Amino acid sequence: MLGVKTEQLDAVKVTIELKDKILVIENPTVIKMVAQGQEIYSVMGQAKEAQKEEPKVEIKDEDVKFVMEQTGKGEQEVREALQKANGDIAKAILLLTGQET
């Protein structure tokens, strides 16, 4: 091809992260093409869906106690709100008091 360079990459796995899921292609055939200064990757193989895992936030006991005191809510409910708020105390309080959805 005119001005197009191709190279087969020795890929083991290709992961494509979408908004709601992850596609994983094990042992793919991957071709890298360079044309007019642009890199183009062609991936061939069988994709399997994987669920996106939400990163777990470390919740401190003193944060739980503080939010419980501020909202009057139970420990489990407070821990869940802190997880949902990614550890943000103010946001967790707003969630628990119905001021944020």
Side-chain angles (χ1 to χ4, degrees), residues 30-80:
V30 179
I31 307 292
K32 175 184 174 184
M33 295 173 276
V34 180
Q36 298 176 354
Q38 296 289 320
E39 292 183 357
I40 304 161
Y41 294 88
S42 175
V43 179
M44 294 168 274
Q46 188 67 36
K48 293 182 182 177
E49 284 188 23
Q51 293 297 317
K52 261 188 150 174
E53 291 184 23
E54 294 297 321
K56 284 288 186 184
V57 178
E58 184 179 335
I59 305 299
K60 298 177 185 166
D61 289 338
E62 57 264 25
D63 292 348
V64 172
K65 184 177 178 183
F66 177 79
V67 175
M68 286 173 65
E69 290 169 356
Q70 296 299 311
T71 63
K73 303 290 183 179
E75 181 179 352
Q76 185 60 36
E77 191 176 2
V78 167
R79 286 190 182 279
E80 289 171 6

Side-chain angles (χ1 to χ4, degrees), residues 75-92:
E75 181 179 352
Q76 185 60 36
E77 191 176 2
V78 167
R79 286 190 182 279
E80 289 171 6
L82 283 165
Q83 279 292 339
K84 188 174 182 181
N86 291 319
D88 184 324
I89 294 171
K91 187 173 182 177

Side-chain angles (χ1 to χ4, degrees), residues 1 11 64 80 96 99:
M1 290 186 173
V64 172
E80 289 171 6
L96 290 165
Q99 297 176 38

